[in-house]
């Protein structure tokens, strides 16, 4: 039990460190890589909490597909070469105030609203977040939203193909004679 809590705490610190690294990194590529590491660390937290299917979905969807898309966009746009225009003092003060408010809310939730005992983790039931349970809920209670989401994604893929399609130049006719 102690080693499980210690592992959870270490991975939690890695999640916090990578989130801070992502926010304060001045290079967009490094920031995206910090976010990939953050997603992978969050997946480890899911495994620790007994939700391996959600961990696999976290790695596949977020760290795999979405972050690769972000990296491609950053590389194509050349965002890593943009100049840093600096931030104004008002923006820094606003960020500090919002960070203090966020930390205060997090502390309040930990102290007054925590349902987890401080000595150990509450473990979910054995079939919690299993693929079978998720499939049953998804295809019984949420079938219409699932189908609407799939149709929207299909339209988005077709729209992306149409928007990026370039008209190919028409080939010149081959002349058999003199020019």
């Amino acid at each position: 039990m102690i080693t499980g809590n210690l592992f959870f705490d270490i991975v939690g610190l890695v999640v916090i460190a990578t989130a801070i690294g992502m926010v304060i990194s001045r290079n967009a590529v490094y920031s995206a890589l910090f976010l990939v590491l953050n997603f992978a660390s969050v997946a480890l937290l899911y495994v620790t909490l007994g939700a391996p299917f959600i961990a696999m979905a976290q790695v596949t969807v977020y760290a795999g597909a979405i972050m690769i898309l972000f990296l491609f966009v950053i590389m194509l746009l050349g965002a890593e070469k943009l100049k840093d225009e600096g931030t104004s003092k008002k923006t820094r003060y606003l960020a500090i105030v919002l960070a203090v408010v966020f930390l205060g809310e997090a502390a309040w939730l930990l102290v007054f609203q925590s349902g987890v005992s401080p000595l150990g983790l509450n473990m979910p039931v054995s079939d919690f977040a299993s693929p079978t349970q998720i499939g049953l809920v998804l295809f019984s209670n949420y079938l219409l939203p699932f189908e609407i989401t799939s149709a929207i994604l299909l339209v988005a893929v077709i729209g992306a193909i149409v928007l990026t399609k370039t008209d190919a130049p028409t080939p010149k006719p081959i002349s058999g004679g003199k020019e």
Side-chain angles (χ1 to χ4, degrees):
M1 185 77 165
I2 299 294
T3 57
N5 285 343
L6 182 63
F7 180 74
F8 187 86
D9 292 342
I10 290 171
V11 174
L13 288 174
V14 170
V15 168
I16 293 170
T18 56
I20 291 171
M22 188 234 8
V23 171
I24 66 172
S25 178
R26 296 196 182 273
N27 189 332
V29 175
Y30 291 156
S31 193
L33 290 174
F34 272 123
L35 193 55
V36 168
L37 185 58
N38 185 284
F39 287 153
S41 302
V42 168
L44 275 175
L45 288 178
Y46 286 141
V47 169
T48 305
L49 292 173
F53 181 75
I54 296 175
M56 188 252 339
Q58 170 82 15
V59 169
T60 304
V61 174
Y62 291 109
I66 292 176
M67 284 313 302
I68 297 303
L69 178 68
F70 282 176
L71 283 174
F72 280 144
V73 168
I74 289 169
M75 297 291 188
L76 284 174
L77 295 178
E80 73 274 3
K81 297 175 186 170
L82 294 176
K83 291 188 288 184
D84 183 23
E85 298 180 12
T87 56
S88 68
K89 289 191 182 261
K90 289 180 184 179
T91 307
R92 287 183 193 259
Y93 291 134
L94 179 63
I96 290 170
V97 167
L98 289 176
V100 167
V101 168
F102 173 74
L103 291 174
E105 288 177 353
W108 183 79
L109 283 173
L110 284 174
V111 171
F112 295 110
Q113 300 291 323
S114 179
V116 177
S117 70
L119 299 177
L121 298 173
N122 291 338
M123 294 305 292
V125 293
S126 64
D127 64 345
F128 174 76
S130 69
T132 305
Q133 291 292 0
I134 291 173
L136 288 174
V137 170
L138 185 64
F139 292 121
S140 61
N141 299 348
Y142 299 104
L143 182 61
L144 182 63
F146 180 78
E147 292 296 330
I148 291 172
T149 303
S150 65
I152 290 172
L153 289 173
L154 179 64
V155 169
V157 168
I158 292 171
I161 291 170
V162 167
L163 288 175
T164 59
K165 181 182 175 196
T166 58
D167 293 330
T170 55
K172 295 181 183 178
I174 301 174
S175 60
K178 303 173 192 170
E179 292 188 22

